[in-house]
Structures are given as structure tokens and as C-alpha cells.
Amino acid sequence: MDNYKNSKHPYIPLLGSKGLKIMAHEIIMPKAGIDMTEGQIVKWLKKEGDPVAAGEIILEIMTDKTSMEIEAEASGVLLKIVRQDGENVPITEVIGYIGEAGEEIKPDEPEPEKPAQEEPVEKSLTRLEDSYNVIVIGGGPAGYVAAIRAAQHGAKVAIVEKNVFGGTCLNVGCIPTKTYLKSGEIIEGLQMAAARGIIFENTSFKVDMPKVVEHKNSVVKKLTSGVEALLRSNKVDIFKGTAKISKNKDVIVDDSKVIKGDKIILAGGSKVSQINIPGIKHPGVLSSDALLALEELPESLAIIGGGVIGIEMAQAFGELGSKITVVEMMDRIIPGIDEEASDVLAAYLKKKGAKIMTSTKVAEIKDKNGKVEIVTDNGSVVADKVLLSVGRLPDMEGIGEIEFEMERGKIKVDKYMETSVKGIYAPGDINGIKMLAHVAFRMGEVAADNAVKGNNRELKLHSAPSVVYTLPEVAMVGLTEKEAREKYDVRVGRFNFAANGRALASGESTGFVKVIADTKYGEILGVHIVGPAAAEMINQASLLMEMEITVDEVIK
């Protein structure tokens, strides 16, 4: 695509140091599709003054359909960046200039239109004219999927988000963690190389944490920008701010704007849980959000809580080079997974140098010469940084003046995702049923279908899988062996990856596949996988369970 020659703008003359006129090349927002009217600048890969070569990628943009990399059409210097990262720009508008080193754009060059300034918040409430069929509070997996789904049904939809679209998963959860774990996987591969006959003359490496964080942020930015682009392309009206529901079921944004609608989907998501022990406010005690932003790798990292988040972080930072200690109150790590799976994962982490303290209760946090000391009933642990990872709680900020029926601190919903207050639905983490992003997607779909078309679609989660993205991966669907034995007469099939040819050839022989079935009918009650590609393979098990195929039918 020729981004310059097809420009509706003429080349801009520049005045050189010797009075000679040269022609600056415009960088414009390209028209990348028939229906495209604007694009968003995701990130400039060059700074003003940087040299560029024709054909070199200089920035990334996001349209309502896809993300694109834009190449320089001329060689020279990036003289000026007119529109910045995150800005939405109409097609064919100039976003920058390339020219010769030392040249400046002529003073009489018309200045680019500046983004409109936000109006100051008024003290009195401003009632918006339009009324919506559905208002969604929260732009995480449940919220943005619900908004898009409702809009696809023909509803007029508004969505309110107080921070960045994508929720916990995209911004501070699944996606950032996976970028760190992939880095650890690369290091693991390098360490395995010598045993496979691949010899590096210099096997030492170092971790550039600012670069690690920068890469993570770029992945997050691309995905969150994509979510907002999807909402816009589905004609969902976007409001930025903190939303609360008034007693007459209006949505109030930042205590200043009133949005009226027929139905509300409250998808407030979750927030980091805290524990009340002495010293917990020590500056060295971090949430997972703060840990993922660290630009200096801690020499030692202690983790309070051996759940999914804690163990994923333990492995990610352990592979990067931190000395890891996990402190878990229960008798094993990740108590929600099958006991055998938990044991295999714990053994692997210990083999990699992590210390795991189970059945251990934290009593106090102290400062010890600038480090953090965790005092427990099983001795003390001293570390440079401490990750507090004791779970997440529903974020109730959006409730406002409405009184919902609650269940153990979570909003109670029925099989249609509707709350005790008719016309208000609550999908995702806020109901606490199963705090997983892909489950939130489905809940959002169900809530939107029922909000627009009436309550006719039920939520079914018996075949919803879950995954721990460690190395080896752990994946499960259905009941654990212990749960199944408590309810049924069962038969269990188990196969170790150590006996699998491909696993051996790949050097990934840790783990097993376990299938739990009802003895009488052969119904598949649960499947547990520890090992390579567990996250992909578990979907086959999930599909079989959803179709209610027996183990005997699978064999045939």
C-alpha cells in the first residue's frame, strides 16, 4: 500500500539550512478497508529525530478489523510525529513527516488539529439524551463480550469502563503472565540444548527486565486496543469513567452523567484480595499487578498463596532467575486441581529450585535490613520482594444504591445470569461462580442473549475446562478423582507421558493423562492432564463431556 503517493495532501516544502527547498514525505492514516473511516495509532516504533529507511516498519495501527504495521515510503529522518500513541485518527489525515536530517517543517505549515479537550465535570448531573436497550458496566471479558453480543442482536448498547478495556485477564492476569512464562520456556529450551547435542560456546544469559516489561506492555496494548476497536465496529457507545447504579436503575458515570437504559449488565469483574495481618502494608509486599510492572528482577521472591496465580508467577520469575519460596496455608499447592496433578507440579517446581512450604500460616510481615521477613508457624522466610497472591474478590463498586441478594460476598444470579433485581444481569467474576476469562465470555453471551431476547438461554458449565499455564501445563475438566469417588462408583484410566514417544522425543516427559468414568454407564466424569499441550488437548475432553459420549463409545 502506498501511504504517501495516494495522499490527498501535497508534499510539504521544507526550507533547508542553505535556503534550498526539499519535499517532506507525509505519513498518513491509510484506508485499509472499504468501510474504514478511522484508525487508532497503537505505537510509534520510532521517535522524532530517528533515521528511517524506506520499507522499514515505523508504527503500528489498529482498525476496526485488524492490526497493521505501517512501513516508511521514503528514507530520511522522522521529522515530526503529529498524532500520538492511542489517538484515533480519520483516514488520510497526516500523522507524521519524514524528511532530511536537520530540516524543520516551515513555520507557516498549518498545525494539526488538536484532540478536543474534555469538558470539566459539572457539579450537577448531566442527563444524556439517548436511552439504551442495554447498558454494560465493565469492559472485561464478560462485559465487552456482552456488549458486542447485545449489539449484534440489534440492541442500542452503551458500555462504561473505568480503566482499560480487557479487564484483569488482558491487563494484569492471563496475558501478561503468559508473556513471562513464554520467556521462561525459552530459557528452559536453552538449558535443554546441550543434552540434545546443541552446544553454545557461551551458555550464559542475562535478563533485561525493562525489555521484558516493555514486551509485555506491547502485547497488552495491542489486545486492549483491539477490544475497543471491536466495540466501536459493532457501534457500541463507549463511556470512560466509574459507573454506579442509582436506586431508580439509571447508570451514573463519575457522579456527573446519567445514562438511561432498559436493561443493565453489571460486569464489574474482580480485584486483588487482601489479608489482615501485621505488616502487610510493607512496601516490599506486592500485588500481582505491581509485580508484573517491576523493572528490576528480585534476587529472591517469596509468594504468599500457592493458588493458580501464585504458582504461575513462581515459575515465571523462577525461570527468569529469582530464588522462589511459596508459602501455602493448605496441605498442597493449587488445591482446586486433582491431587496427583498438584503433587507432580510441586515436585517439578522443587526440582527447579523452588522451596514450597505447605500447611503453613503467615503470622506477621517484618522489615529486615531492607528486605521482607515473613513470620510463619513453620519458621521465617526472608526475601527481596513478596507477592501477595491469596485470590481475588468481586469488585462491587458498580452496585451503587441497589440491594442485591448476595451469597458469600458475591452477587447471586440464576441460570439466566439475572440477579434478584429484575432487569439487571451480573456475569463474570462479580458473581464468583468460576473466575476464568473464557467462562466470563460465555456468561456475558448468556446475559446479553437474555437481556435482549428474554430469559431463554441457560448457563451450562459442567464441561468448562481450566488450565494452569506452568511448565508442565496442567489442565482439567469435570470432577477430580476425590470428588468423583465421593459421588459415584468410578473407574480410572491413567497414562504417563514418560511412555509416550513424542513426549520423549520432545524432552517433555513429565506428567500424565487421567480419565475418570462412572463404572455403571461409562459417563466421563473428569479428565486431568499434566504435561505438554495440556491446554490444547483438554478441549477434546471438554467436547466429549458436552456431547455426553461414554468412554466405551470413545474407544470404538
Side-chain angles (χ1 to χ4, degrees):
M1 183 183 300
D2 191 332
N3 295 330
Y4 309 101
K5 294 175 183 176
N6 295 332
S7 171
K8 68 180 182 180
H9 304 278
Y11 285 168
I12 303 299
L14 301 183
L15 196 59
S17 58
K18 296 183 179 180
L20 299 175
K21 283 191 175 181
I22 59 174
M23 308 306 287
H25 291 270
E26 295 174 340
I27 310 169
I28 69 165
M29 178 61 68
K31 184 175 176 63
I34 296 173
D35 300 324
M36 180 180 168
T37 58
E38 67 174 13
Q40 184 183 60
I41 297 173
V42 176
K43 183 179 182 182
W44 281 95
L45 304 179
K46 294 284 186 177
K47 303 188 295 294
E48 289 184 5
D50 283 353
V52 297
E56 185 178 6
I57 296 169
I58 55 174
L59 78 154
E60 298 173 358
I61 67 165
M62 177 74 68
T63 74
D64 59 352
K65 304 292 184 185
T66 186
S67 59
M68 296 175 58
E69 294 176 331
I70 303 302
E71 297 178 355
E73 291 287 342
S75 297
V77 170
L78 183 56
L79 294 173
K80 187 171 181 62
I81 293 175
V82 177
R83 303 300 292 267
Q84 304 298 322
D85 293 358
E87 289 192 50
N88 291 305
V89 183
I91 57 170
T92 74
E93 184 169 312
V94 177
I95 57 177
Y97 295 99
I98 294 174
E100 292 201 11
E103 306 299 337
E104 294 182 2
I105 297 176
K106 287 177 62 176
D108 58 352
E109 169 65 18
E111 287 294 318
E113 184 179 345
K114 294 182 179 179
Q117 297 294 317
E118 291 186 5
E119 295 180 4
V121 176
E122 298 178 10
K123 291 183 179 180
S124 59
L125 294 179
T126 302
R127 185 174 295 278
L128 301 182
E129 294 294 329
D130 293 335
S131 181
Y132 293 88
N133 301 118
V134 178
I135 303 172
V136 180
I137 298 175
Y144 79 75
V145 169
I148 291 169
R149 183 81 167 195
Q152 289 172 343
H153 285 317
K156 183 175 174 58
V157 183
I159 187 168
V160 189
E161 169 55 47
K162 62 183 177 181
N163 292 317
V164 182
F165 282 99
T168 296
C169 177
L170 261 61
N171 288 284
V172 292
C174 332
I175 301 304
T177 305
K178 285 182 180 66
T179 64
Y180 279 41
L181 286 167
K182 181 61 181 180
S183 298
E185 186 182 332
I186 293 169
I187 294 169
E188 177 94 356
L190 292 172
Q191 293 169 344
M192 289 171 58
R196 304 177 72 89
I198 303 170
I199 311 298
F200 293 94
E201 292 183 2
N202 183 358
T203 57
S204 64
F205 68 88
K206 65 177 182 178
V207 175
D208 182 349
M209 277 306 289
K211 188 69 176 177
V212 171
V213 174
E214 181 186 349
H215 173 69
K216 178 262 295 183
N217 290 342
S218 70
V219 172
V220 170
K221 176 67 174 176
K222 185 170 288 189
L223 289 169
T224 54
S225 298
V227 169
E228 193 162 342
L230 278 171
L231 289 164
R232 293 185 190 279
S233 68
N234 282 277
K235 297 180 172 56
V236 175
D237 288 348
I238 294 173
F239 295 87
K240 295 291 183 71
T242 301
K244 295 180 182 178
I245 307 172
S246 70
K247 59 186 176 183
N248 58 351
K249 293 202 286 189
D250 290 336
V251 174
I252 315 297
V253 182
D254 286 341
D255 297 325
S256 61
K257 295 177 182 176
V258 181
I259 310 175
K260 298 189 71 66
D262 302 324
K263 302 287 178 66
I264 296 173
I265 296 177
L266 176 58
S270 60
K271 58 186 179 181
V272 174
S273 181
Q274 297 287 337
I275 53 175
N276 187 21
I277 58 173
I280 197 65
K281 297 298 183 181
H282 188 290
V285 179
L286 309 175
S287 66
S288 57
D289 303 14
L291 183 65
L292 286 165
L294 277 185
E295 293 199 349
E296 185 175 344
L297 184 69
E299 185 176 330
S300 55
L301 174 66
I303 299 171
I304 300 175
V308 174
I309 296 172
I311 295 303
E312 287 184 347
M313 291 293 193
Q315 186 164 68
F317 278 80
E319 293 286 2
L320 291 174
S322 296
K323 184 178 179 181
I324 302 296
T325 303
V326 177
V327 180
E328 169 57 45
M329 184 172 65
M330 304 296 285
D331 61 353
R332 59 191 177 93
I333 60 171
I334 319 184
I337 64 176
D338 188 79
E339 192 167 342
E340 272 192 282
S342 177
D343 291 344
V344 169
L345 185 55
Y348 188 86
L349 288 168
K350 289 175 183 176
K351 181 181 175 182
K352 299 295 290 184
K355 182 180 180 181
I356 297 178
M357 301 168 62
T358 53
S359 301
T360 301
K361 189 174 181 180
V362 177
E364 186 180 3
I365 303 288
K366 293 181 178 179
D367 183 83
K368 188 165 186 177
N369 301 322
K371 294 190 176 186
V372 189
E373 181 181 7
I374 305 172
V375 181
T376 79
D377 58 357
N378 192 23
S380 292
V381 177
V382 178
D384 293 308
K385 299 291 182 184
V386 172
L387 168 64
L388 180 62
S389 180
V390 291
R392 299 187 67 85
L393 296 171
D395 188 340
M396 301 295 189
E397 191 172 16
I399 287 179
E401 300 174 333
I402 299 293
E403 291 187 8
F404 294 102
E405 183 179 349
M406 308 293 285
E407 195 170 54
R408 297 192 302 277
K410 302 155 187 175
I411 295 180
K412 187 176 181 180
V413 293
D414 60 19
K415 59 188 177 182
Y416 305 112
M417 291 288 98
E418 191 170 26
T419 67
S420 59
V421 179
K422 294 302 176 185
I424 301 181
Y425 298 78
D429 285 4
I430 199 165
N431 63 44
I433 294 173
K434 203 166 190 177
M435 290 185 173
L436 298 170
H438 56 281
V439 171
F441 290 157
R442 178 52 54 86
M443 289 183 180
E445 288 177 358
V446 171
D449 287 353
N450 293 327
V452 176
K453 295 187 170 185
N455 290 354
N456 53 41
R457 183 179 177 187
E458 299 180 10
L459 179 72
K460 299 176 182 178
L461 293 179
H462 79 282
S463 62
S466 57
V467 178
V468 186
Y469 288 95
T470 46
L471 184 67
E473 289 180 346
V474 180
M476 65 170 286
V477 60
L479 302 177
T480 64
E481 183 177 344
K482 182 180 179 182
E483 290 169 340
R485 290 191 182 281
E486 289 172 353
K487 298 178 181 179
Y488 302 91
D489 180 20
V490 302
R491 46 179 164 155
V492 177
R494 191 180 186 284
F495 187 87
N496 289 332
F497 277 110
N500 178 274
R502 182 175 178 184
L504 286 169
S506 302
E508 299 175 307
S509 57
T510 300
F512 61 88
V513 177
K514 178 192 284 190
V515 179
I516 305 161
D518 169 52
T519 301
K520 185 176 182 180
Y521 299 108
E523 177 188 0
I524 302 171
L525 302 173
V527 177
H528 303 267
I529 307 174
V530 181
E536 284 73 34
M537 291 194 291
I538 199 64
N539 289 294
Q540 298 177 48
S542 181
L543 179 61
L544 294 172
M545 289 182 62
E546 182 65 26
M547 296 177 70
E548 299 183 347
I549 294 175
T550 67
V551 287
D552 301 300
E553 288 171 324
V554 173
I555 291 168
K556 292 174 183 177

